[in-house]
Amino acid sequence: MTAQRTLVLLKPDAVQRGLRGEIIRRLETKGYEILALAQRTATSEELTAHYAEHEGKPFYPGLVEYMGAGPLVAIIAEGESVIAGFRSLAGATNPTEAMPGTIRGDLAREWDLPVIQNLVHGSDSEESAAREIGIWFPELG
Ligand code: IDP
Ligand code: MG
């Protein structure tokens, strides 16, 4: 294996709930390196590019609204197999199904909303990671 990079987002609910430190602690104590970190409110261009694969799905309008509702934190993390490793730390998409011990399993829950709020995003493949790093950190992509 060679070192990989992944794009992590601390979604607006993570920032709003004051969970940045707790989530970054899990990433760092797992042993991954943080290469870049930036907080800002996403533009609609960034969000439509980032979530292009979900365009047309019933939850898509709610997803873009949720992700643009406040500041988020974009992170590039690096390490052996970090793409799968961070997704393992994050847990299942639905926080009710996410295992205890995971970020979503421990820190998130379901609400009566059209979109699942689940605190974090992590790239799902090397192709996605390269594409997403280019969206959020164009100067580093
Ligand atoms: P992932 O974040 O675990 O990779 P994706 O399937 O890529 O999950 O979906 C992107 C985001 O869209 C999820 O993190 C969640 O916020 C939201 N989402 C995904 N599936 C649903 C759904 O069935 N209903 C509502 N929201 C969803
Ligand atoms: Mg995904």
Side-chain angles (χ1 to χ4, degrees), residues 8-12 14-15 20 23-24 71-75 119-120:
V8 171
L9 297 176
L10 311 187
K11 297 182 177 185
V15 173
R20 279 169 294 214
I23 295 168
I24 292 168
L72 53 70
V73 177
I75 294 170
L119 301 173
V120 290

Side-chain angles (χ1 to χ4, degrees), residues 63-80:
L63 178 60
V64 172
E65 183 185 343
Y66 157 48
M67 293 296 293
L72 53 70
V73 177
I75 294 170
I76 302 173
E78 185 177 72
E80 301 293 323

Side-chain angles (χ1 to χ4, degrees), residues 11 51 53-54 59 63 66 87 93 104 114-116 118:
K11 297 182 177 185
Y51 281 127
E53 67 173 303
H54 295 303
F59 60 86
L63 178 60
Y66 157 48
R87 294 206 29 118
T93 303
R104 291 162 168 172
V115 67
I116 295 169
N118 54 10

Side-chain angles (χ1 to χ4, degrees), residues 50-122:
H50 181 81
Y51 281 127
E53 67 173 303
H54 295 303
E55 199 184 341
K57 294 184 183 171
F59 60 86
Y60 178 79
L63 178 60
V64 172
E65 183 185 343
Y66 157 48
M67 293 296 293
L72 53 70
V73 177
I75 294 170
I76 302 173
E78 185 177 72
E80 301 293 323
S81 301
V82 68
I83 294 171
F86 182 78
R87 294 206 29 118
S88 176
L89 284 182
T93 303
N94 184 327
T96 299
E97 293 161 10
M99 293 294 288
T102 66
I103 292 165
R104 291 162 168 172
D106 286 350
L107 306 173
R109 52 162 284 189
E110 279 191 87
W111 304 92
D112 185 17
L113 295 170
V115 67
I116 295 169
Q117 299 204 351
N118 54 10
L119 301 173
V120 290
H121 165 82

Side-chain angles (χ1 to χ4, degrees), residues 34-62:
I34 292 176
L35 299 187
L37 185 154
Q39 177 171 307
R40 65 171 177 277
T41 300
T43 64
S44 59
E45 289 75 20
E46 286 168 331
L47 292 176
T48 51
H50 181 81
Y51 281 127
E53 67 173 303
H54 295 303
E55 199 184 341
K57 294 184 183 171
F59 60 86
Y60 178 79

